[in-house]
């Protein structure tokens, strides 16, 4: 009887952890596109906004709306998400353009205004999931911005050495402590916030990056 009660308790605790992880992931995944849509909507409401700003804002809203639809389809399947089995919709994509779009979304949302962001991107084609690729870029660059003090730099490069495309995001922030590095991809893992005062996030960003990249 005690063994049965212990097993039932363990099962209930595991179910609760799974629910909490799902809800945390849902909030993390939905926040960036919703923020981008909100900022783009604000631009559309500005009197005498330029035609270019209006066009760009409408494109962001359309793209992020499609992004949200894709995410909801995935996030509703709790079992697949929890087991890490995420189906990738692969298709030929020019990666540099997608990197520019992801960084542009962060810029529109005001995320880059306190930093010097440089892009050195070579044209690279690959068979990838466009939505996931932009999520990878957004999470990596967003982390660099979050943990880099105002006035710091974030350098983004994309190059095709040999057969693999290599995306690098380098910043002038405090870096990652050696004791944290082995666990940096663990679920909910977060390092010290430091002088940059990194805010937001629940330690899911790089875990998702790794999951989408495999």
């Amino acid at each position: 009887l005690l063994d049965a009660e212990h097993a039932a308790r363990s099962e209930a605790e595991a179910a609760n952890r799974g629910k909490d992880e799902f809800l945390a992931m849902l909030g993390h995944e939905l926040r960036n596109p919703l923020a981008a849509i909100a900022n783009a909507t604000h631009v559309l409401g500005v009197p005498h906004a330029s035609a270019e700003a209006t066009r760009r804002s409408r494109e962001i809203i359309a793209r992020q709306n499609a992004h949200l639809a894709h995410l909801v389809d995935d996030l509703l399947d709790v079992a697949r998400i929890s087991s890490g089995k995420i189906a990738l919709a692969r298709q030929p994509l020019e990666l540099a353009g997608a990197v520019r779009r992801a960084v542009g979304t962060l810029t529109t949302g005001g995320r880059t205004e306190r930093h010097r962001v440089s892009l050195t991107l070579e044209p690279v084609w690959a068979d990838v999931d466009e939505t996931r690729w932009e999520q990878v870029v957004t999470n990596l660059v967003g982390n660099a911005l979050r943990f880099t003090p105002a006035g710091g730099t974030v350098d983004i490069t994309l190059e095709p050495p040999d057969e693999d495309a290599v995306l690098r995001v380098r910043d002038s922030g405090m870096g990652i402590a050696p004791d944290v590095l082995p666990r940096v991809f663990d679920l909910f893992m977060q390092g010290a916030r430091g002088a940059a005062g990194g805010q937001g996030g629940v330690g899911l960003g790089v875990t998702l990056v790794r999951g989408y990249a495999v």
Side-chain angles (χ1 to χ4, degrees):
L1 181 60
L2 290 177
D3 287 344
E5 290 178 352
H6 178 73
R9 187 181 306 111
S10 296
E11 185 176 342
E13 290 173 351
N16 276 332
R17 284 196 300 272
K19 178 193 67 175
D20 291 344
E21 290 174 6
F22 171 75
L23 291 175
M25 182 178 288
L26 177 64
H28 183 87
E29 287 288 271
L30 297 182
R31 182 173 53 201
N32 284 337
L34 286 173
I37 290 172
N39 281 286
T41 302
H42 174 74
V43 171
L44 290 177
V46 173
H48 311 300
S50 69
E52 174 62 19
T54 298
R55 180 191 65 78
R56 189 165 59 247
S57 295
R58 286 174 175 163
E59 286 181 352
I60 288 172
I61 291 172
R63 184 166 65 250
Q64 296 302 324
N65 183 64
H67 186 170
L68 285 170
H70 190 160
L71 289 176
V72 169
D73 286 343
D74 284 345
L75 292 169
L76 287 175
D77 192 346
V78 182
R80 180 162 57 88
I81 293 289
S82 298
S83 64
K85 297 177 180 178
I86 300 174
L88 299 178
R90 296 181 182 274
Q91 60 182 356
L93 178 69
E94 202 288 292
L95 302 183
V99 171
R100 290 189 182 92
R101 289 193 294 274
V103 175
T105 298
L106 290 169
T107 299
T108 299
R111 299 281 301 280
T112 64
E113 61 187 13
R114 300 192 304 154
H115 301 84
R116 297 187 297 277
V117 179
S118 71
L119 298 172
T120 304
L121 310 175
E122 295 186 37
V124 181
W125 283 86
D127 196 37
V128 302
D129 184 314
E130 181 174 6
T131 297
R132 300 306 187 191
W133 173 250
E134 291 197 22
Q135 283 179 267
V136 166
V137 176
T138 299
N139 278 325
L140 291 177
V141 177
N143 274 1
L145 293 168
R146 183 177 298 122
F147 293 100
T148 300
T153 61
V154 176
D155 300 316
I156 305 159
T157 63
L158 177 68
E159 53 188 10
D162 302 322
E163 296 180 356
D164 297 320
V166 177
L167 173 71
R168 291 188 176 92
V169 179
R170 178 174 296 182
D171 62 70
S172 61
M174 65 182 292
I176 301 173
D179 63 311
V180 174
L181 277 174
R183 297 174 291 135
V184 72
F185 287 106
D186 291 353
L187 194 63
F188 305 126
M189 182 61 201
Q190 296 191 72
R193 297 186 184 275
Q199 299 295 322
V202 288
L204 285 172
V206 292
T207 303
L208 294 172
V209 166
R210 181 183 61 177
Y212 297 153
V214 296

